[in-house]
Every structure is written in C-alpha cells, then in structure tokens.
Amino acid sequence: MTDRPGTSTYPSGEGEPLLSVRDLTVTFGRGAKAFRAVDAVSFDVRPGQTVGLVGESGCGKSVTSLAIMRLLPSRGNAVTGSVHFDGEDLLTLSDTQMRDRRGRDVAMIFQDPLSSLNPVVPLGVQVAEVLERHRGMNRGDAGRRAAELLDKVGIPDPTRRLKEYPHQLSGGMRQRALIAMALACEPRLLIADEPTTALDVTIQAQILALLKELVQESGTSLIMITHDLGVVAGLCDEVNVLYGGRIVERARRHDLFARPRHPYTGGLLASIPRLTEGKGRRLTPVPGSVADNIPWEGGCAFAPRCSSEIEVCRERTPELVPDHEGLGPDRLLRCHNPLESNPLDDAPSDEEVRA
Amino acid sequence: MTTTVQQPEGAGTPEADVLLDVRGLKVHFPIKKGVIFDRTIGHVYAVDGIDLQIRRGETYGLVGESGCGKSTLGRAILQLESPTAGEVVFDGTDLASLKGEQLRRQRRHMQMVFQDPLGSLDPRQTVEQLLLEGMRAHGLTKDAQVARTRLTELLSAVGLPKNALSKYPHEFSGGQRQRVGIARALSVDPQLIVADEPVSALDVSVQAQVINLLEDLQEEFGLTYLVIAHDLAVVRHISDRIGVMYLGGLVEEAEGEDLYDEPLHPYTRALLSAVPVPDPVVEDSREQILLPGDLPSPANPPSGCRFHTRCPWRQPTRCEEERPELRVVQVDGVPASHRVACHWAEQIASGELGRHTVEVDDVTHPDEIHPEIDSSLGAKGVTDASA
C-alpha cells in the first residue's frame, strides 16, 4: 500500500490479514428452489484497512456481512467456505464463542438505526450493556464510560442523552449512538452496512467524517458496504464490486475510478448524475435490471445487460483473475471482454475538481 | 413573511409564460393534545411563506433535507394539502378558491409521481385498470377503441412491453413500477407533473433510466415538471431552475448552472460540499463544510434567519432578529435570476466574512424542542398522529 497515487491519508494495511474470507457461499432454500445469494466470495481485510463492498440491491453485499457475523437465521440457508478472523474460523465457532466475539472483536453498524436500537430501553443502558457483557464492568462504570463514548461520537450533553429513548433522538444522533455502541469495546473490525443511506446529505457528511476519524485514530479495520460510489471514493482503500453474488472487480480506490475495467463498474460510473454537469448530458444507464440476469453457471450473469458482450460471455463462466500489469497492483477482474478505456473519459476531468 | 415578489428582471420571460404561480404559500399543521378534547398546542410550520413561479415547459427542481417541507409544498400546490394561507395560481386560475367538481376537473392538468412505486400503485389492480381509472374519471374513455390506442401509446412512451397491461404491480421490478407510475400520471394528458423523489427508491443504474425517460417525455409532450428530491446531483441533472428549501422557506433560487457554480447561501454551500463525489481525486482534495447538529424542529423554528443556529457565517447582528427575504444580490457575475435569502450574501461571496466554528450545543437546545415532536420525523410524523 505504499505506491498508492495521490495523498495517502489512511494507515497502511500492511501485514497479515485480520479477516480472511475464502469462498464464502450462502445458499437460501434447497433443491430446485435453491438460490445462491453469495457465490464463492473471497477477500482479505488487513489491520487498519478500509475495504468496500459495492453493488446494487440484490448483489449479496449485505448477506456477505451477515454471514461473516453469523447473523443469518439458523434455518433455511447454508453457509459454506471459511471466514478466518485472526486465525480462527468464525464459521466453526459455537454460538457461545461467537457471542463473545460479536461486539468485542467484530462489531457492526446497520442501515436503519431506529430498528437496530431497542425502543423500550434507554440509550445509556443499551450502550453500557456491551461494556458490561464483554468487559465485565459494573453498571456505574459502564454508564460513565458510555457517556464518554457518546461524547466522543459527537452527541451533545451525553449524560442527559443516556436517559433518553431512541425515539427521542434524530436519525443522525441514533446512528452516532450505534457507532458508539459498536466502538465501545474497541473492536478490531467494524462492519458498516449502508450506515448513511437513511440519512440526509449533511448528516451523511458528518457520519462519514466521524467514521473516517475513528478508523484512523484507533486503527480499526472497516468493511464498508454501500451502493453509493461517492461514499466509496472518499473512504475505502480497496473496493470490491459485487454483481449477482460474485465479486466482478477488485481494485484500489484510485485505480478503480481512474480505469474501471468491468463493464458493470463502468456502467455504474456512467449512470451517476454528476454535480458538475448541467442539464443536457444524457446519462448512459446500464440497460435492463437485475431480473435479466442469467445464471453464473454457463456464462456471465451480467451478459444480458452488458454493452461489450461477446459470444463467449454466454458460453463460459468468467473467472476472477488478476488483471494485466500496468493498471495498478492487486487488481482482479471477472470479465471476458473488459473495457479498454474509461467510459467517462470524454467528459473533462479537471472541471470535476471543485472546492 | 411579507410577499414582495419581483419578477426577476432580465430573465426575459413575459408573465404569460408562467404556468404555476405560488404566492405566500403557507401550510401549518396543528399539533393536538388531549384525551377527550383536542387542544391545539402549537403548529408545525411545514411550509412557511413560499413564492415561486414555474414557467411553461421548464423543470423546476426543489431540493432540501428531510423535514424541510418540500413534499408538503408539492402536495399543497396540487391541493392535496389545504394551504393555511397564500394562493396557488395554475394557468390563470386560483386553485385555492376552487372546490368540489371544479377542483376535480382541474386535477386533470396536474398529476403527481410518487416516491414509492409499490406503495402508490394499488396491488389489486392490473396496469390496465390503474391507467384507465384516471382516464375514466376525466371522461377520456368514452370511446373504447380510442382508450385502447391511448394505453398502447402510453406503454410505449414509458418503455413498457405491451403484455404489461394485464400484469399486477408486484410482477414488475422497481424501475418498471416507477414507469407504471409515470404512465398513470401521463394518462390524462396533464400540463404539470409534480414528481416527489421519483428516483430515490431506485438503484443507480435504473435511476439513470428513469431520469432519461423523464427528460424524453418532457420533450415529447411539452410537460412542465416540479421535481422534488434530496439528491442534488439528480436535481442538477434534470432541472432548469432550482430552489433550495430549508425549514419551510426557500433560501436560494437560481438557474441550475448558476447555483452550482456560485452558491450564495451558506446552507447551499454546505449542502453542495456534503455530497460525496464518485472520484477519489476530488474526494481527497476538496474541503467540506460540515454543518453541526440537526435540522431544528419545524414546530419551533429559530427566530430571524432559520439557518442561523447552524450557520458557519452567522453574524451577531440581523441574523437572529430579521428573517431574510429572497433578493437579488449585487455580486459580479451573478444574474438577476439568482436570488438568495441571506443578509450577508455579498460579504460572504467577496470573502469579507469568514467561516467560524459553531458550537454544537447551540444547535440542539433540548428545552426548546417540543417533546412530542421528533424533529427527524418532521411534519409527516405529526400529521399522521393528528389525522
């Protein structure tokens, strides 16, 4: 992570991976009705690194995170593969052992802060509960520590807020409270599943700034799950683009946005309306919808929507292989006919730089 | 807010071109309390004195955060919400004075596209029934053959296959459902379409399809749009003129390009700087204006300039006492169509006034907020409770 272009403001993610996901597969249902929501997904998260999982709804990004946390219901699905956290396979742990990890070593922030909080329990009790459970603190100490945590995530007047219930807080405050809970035991890995999607832009900016600061300060690794490429552009060291349950492209942040190689990544980038472009430029959307996918077996799921589809796309499943040299390190790509040029190149790029 | 509206000079549009003229529009929702007898203990000032004009054939974009009253404004324009004060003149008729049958007839010319495509379509009606219902209500289906052709036209206009007519809403994907919603709005051949967050429930790639569709339809049918959205990039992409709303009032209004090139109101600046840009080079270099705290409660809006509690450019004088009105500012390169509601816009634009930090404690004063109103729920939560 030393040769990243531009200013490197993030702690480097050198060394042994903290989390190593290999061939993670989640299948819902059985027999003829079986549906593979996540299909052989593998990625690493190194200490201090921020890894992004990006994709549209239904691409399996949330299911991946739930499978890592072992939060999927015990029935009706099958999880295979391995999730090594610090050398231990989380998928083979007993429920009791897993409960000890959750919240202490691995924590999670969800999209909807209201439904992630217990509506009938005061905030303070909920934040302190994590500390009592994992750190063995008594109620008084935990309460004091909870107030410190709320203060740290920027909630004004924390001691009063501790006595309040979730409905008395605004959306942004609730998300801050969830972040405080997630960080209470200083976990080594934080999984954020669309943490700002339900929030307004100005509040989103606050929360993202907070996450960035906390990750830098504590050296926590972060898995950022989002559909918003703008969020990824500002936060993630490495980005995985998911489509139809599989990773279709992986690259470092700058490389990905400078040279998208998979037609789906290129299509996503081209379909975002830009602030700097006025009325007139037609968006180039990805045609069709996820419903048009063909199964991965025997072809590329994206082929029916793909603009650079060739014959082989419907005959052979593309593998996730290293992309050719000269495009930046660690690039992986799953495509028979990748993009040769950035679809946005016709747009002037220096005009996009605005204060 | 007193209504001193000047047609922006130099905009070069005669009065006759104005399709929709909103003057001093206010929508206040009462807050009721009591077990047996409801007492009104206050009001939510959802829309509080808005003037805006929409010209024929243009797209007016309305942006703001949740709870700023933008949806209520859209509903009030269509008379789905009865305004507390002010008038809505549509094509020369004051809608607020119309009642019953007359108003119903007028509705043919103003249609709405909703945010949630599944929630706004009746799950027990096929697409054919959905589309015909509005047409029947306005007497457009007397000739079955004409109605039939009209349906086919509508489907091809919004890009749906012919066999869609016999399907139910749940059989479609999100993008297709939104197309059905748009087709329904188009079915009665309206002049104005109010689109309330038309794409925010859709995935990025599908979102682009629907935006393109809206633009095509405008060209084809000469529609006038009022697009309400929280996504600034979307609004910028489809709007000719843009109004920025904060807590029930317009704080800035300008041509799309002018607004994004030179935002004059501190809130607009903060809003624009908060949008994540899908370009790491920009993200690494740009400076963000982070606004502290949350939107104040619309039931108890701050005095003077509504934004002064969170404003990084707040001045000790005027901001707290005097509510600024939309005015044309004397700044080089800013056209007369660009209006802003800030006392200090000139000084901020010239760099004479600098940014300062805002104490977060100033922002959320717990005692000043009505306990029964959750500011994040905004007006919607309150109306639901009192309805």
Side-chain angles (χ1 to χ4, degrees), chain B residues 117-131:
Chain B
L118 190 56
S120 57
L121 301 174
D122 186 341
R124 289 162 187 248
Q125 281 188 321
T126 61
V127 171
E128 182 172 358
Q129 291 168 324
L130 276 167
L131 295 180

Side-chain angles (χ1 to χ4, degrees), chain A residues 56-57 170 200 202 206 286, chain B residues 65-66 203 205 209 291 294:
Chain A
E56 293 179 287
S57 43
S170 68
D200 278 317
T202 56
Q206 292 173 4
V286 185
Chain B
E65 294 177 278
S66 48
D203 271 322
S205 61
Q209 297 170 6
L291 288 183
D294 293 303

Side-chain angles (χ1 to χ4, degrees), chain A residues 56-57 156 160 167 170 174 200 202-204 206 233 253-254 257 273 275 277-278 281-283 285-286 288 305 354, chain B residues 65-66 203 205 208-209 212 216 233 236-237 240 260 276-280 282-284 291 293-294 361 366 374:
Chain A
E56 293 179 287
S57 43
R160 187 177 56 82
H167 75 269
S170 68
R174 283 179 206 139
D200 278 317
T202 56
I203 311 294
Q204 163 169 300
Q206 292 173 4
R253 177 168 69 120
H254 283 274
F257 285 88
L275 267 186
E277 285 166 348
R281 183 185 82 105
R282 262 187 93 73
L283 298 172
V286 185
R305 303 176 68 190
R354 52 177 300 138
Chain B
E65 294 177 278
S66 48
D203 271 322
S205 61
Q209 297 170 6
N212 282 347
D216 292 343
R236 152 93 194 199
H237 196 86
D240 298 301
Y260 286 84
V277 181
D279 185 343
V282 179
E283 278 287 325
D284 286 349
L291 288 183
D294 293 303
D361 291 354
D374 180 348

Side-chain angles (χ1 to χ4, degrees), chain A residues 129-160:
Chain A
E129 188 186 10
V130 192
L131 294 161
E132 288 171 43
R133 169 71 174 77
H134 290 297
R135 287 283 151 92
M137 287 186 178
N138 63 36
R139 186 143 288 189
D141 288 344
R144 273 187 289 282
R145 177 79 186 121
E148 285 171 32
L149 285 165
L150 290 192
D151 190 46
K152 193 172 158 195
V153 296
I155 295 182
D157 200 358
T159 32
R160 187 177 56 82

Side-chain angles (χ1 to χ4, degrees), chain A residues 52-353:
Chain A
L53 299 181
V54 196
E56 293 179 287
S57 43
C59 73
K61 52 193 195 298
S62 292
V63 177
T64 306
S65 67
L66 292 175
I68 293 172
M69 289 296 275
R70 300 235 334 243
L71 287 172
L72 287 168
S74 53
R75 284 163 168 237
N77 64 70
V79 182
T80 57
S82 69
V83 178
H84 282 276
F85 179 80
D86 205 15
E88 241 178 343
D89 190 354
L90 294 183
L91 297 183
T92 58
L93 294 179
S94 72
D95 285 350
T96 328
Q97 285 171 318
M98 192 59 211
R99 270 203 290 278
D100 287 340
R101 303 286 183 286
R102 268 189 225 122
R104 196 186 69 192
D105 295 327
V106 193
M108 190 155 175
I109 309 168
F110 296 90
Q111 173 174 354
D112 180 2
L114 188 55
S115 55
S116 318
L117 291 165
N118 188 336
V120 293
V121 175
L123 201 61
V125 177
Q126 298 191 49
V127 180
E129 188 186 10
V130 192
L131 294 161
E132 288 171 43
R133 169 71 174 77
H134 290 297
R135 287 283 151 92
M137 287 186 178
N138 63 36
R139 186 143 288 189
D141 288 344
R144 273 187 289 282
R145 177 79 186 121
E148 285 171 32
L149 285 165
L150 290 192
D151 190 46
K152 193 172 158 195
V153 296
I155 295 182
D157 200 358
T159 32
R160 187 177 56 82
R161 292 289 183 190
L162 284 177
K163 296 191 195 77
E164 292 192 347
Y165 292 86
H167 75 269
Q168 290 169 295
L169 302 175
S170 68
M173 287 292 170
R174 283 179 206 139
Q175 198 58 283
R176 282 170 194 268
L178 270 188
I179 293 175
M181 282 166 70
L183 294 176
C185 292
E186 289 157 13
R188 291 153 71 192
L189 176 67
L190 183 64
I191 302 179
D193 187 357
E194 304 262 15
T196 58
T197 310
L199 307 174
D200 278 317
V201 258
T202 56
I203 311 294
Q204 163 169 300
Q206 292 173 4
I207 298 290
L208 289 179
L210 174 71
L211 271 179
K212 218 185 255 188
E213 189 187 309
L214 293 172
V215 166
Q216 267 172 44
E217 222 171 69
S218 58
T220 307
S221 306
L222 177 67
I223 299 181
M224 185 78 185
I225 295 167
T226 179
H227 70 281
D228 189 336
L229 285 162
V231 170
V232 171
L235 195 65
C236 298
D237 296 312
E238 192 177 72
V239 186
N240 295 292
V241 182
L242 274 86
Y243 190 82
R246 296 197 183 190
I247 293 178
V248 293
E249 184 165 13
R250 171 185 307 164
R252 302 234 171 120
R253 177 168 69 120
H254 283 274
D255 301 334
L256 184 82
F257 285 88
R259 282 294 301 276
R261 291 275 290 158
H262 198 283
Y264 176 63
T265 320
L268 276 187
L269 284 170
S271 56
I272 306 174
R274 308 277 167 144
L275 267 186
T276 42
E277 285 166 348
K279 206 182 162 173
R281 183 185 82 105
R282 262 187 93 73
L283 298 172
T284 32
V286 185
S289 70
V290 247
D292 302 322
N293 287 358
I294 59 170
W296 278 109
E297 291 79 25
C300 171
F302 185 60
R305 303 176 68 190
C306 186
S307 53
S308 41
E309 184 198 350
I310 48 174
E311 227 169 86
V312 68
C313 293
R314 287 183 192 251
E315 290 161 6
R316 197 153 45 84
T317 311
E319 297 298 322
L320 189 65
V321 289
D323 208 349
H324 67 75
E325 290 295 314
L327 284 169
D330 303 345
R331 287 200 76 147
L332 294 179
L333 181 69
R334 187 194 290 279
C335 185
H336 290 307
N337 185 22
L339 298 175
E340 288 307 323
S341 64
N342 190 342
L344 290 176
D345 269 352
D346 45 77
S349 61
D350 49 336
E351 262 184 47
E352 296 195 0
V353 184

Side-chain angles (χ1 to χ4, degrees), chain B residues 209-261:
Chain B
Q209 297 170 6
V210 174
I211 292 174
N212 282 347
L213 173 69
L214 285 173
E215 286 178 345
D216 292 343
L217 292 174
Q218 177 164 44
E219 212 161 284
E220 196 177 337
F221 298 106
L223 296 167
T224 307
Y225 286 139
L226 172 64
V227 176
I228 300 167
H230 69 279
D231 187 328
L232 288 120
V234 167
V235 167
R236 152 93 194 199
H237 196 86
I238 58 179
S239 307
D240 298 301
R241 282 195 306 141
I242 295 169
V244 181
M245 263 186 96
Y246 185 78
L247 220 54
L250 277 178
V251 294
E252 189 162 1
E253 186 187 75
E255 306 276 327
E257 206 152 307
D258 299 332
L259 187 80
Y260 286 84
D261 286 349

Side-chain angles (χ1 to χ4, degrees), chain B residues 316-336:
Chain B
T317 54
R318 294 186 77 187
C319 288
E320 264 170 86
E321 298 96 35
E322 219 179 304
R323 186 162 175 197
E325 284 175 31
L326 274 185
R327 64 192 174 95
V328 179
V329 285
Q330 307 302 323
V331 180
D332 283 344
V334 173

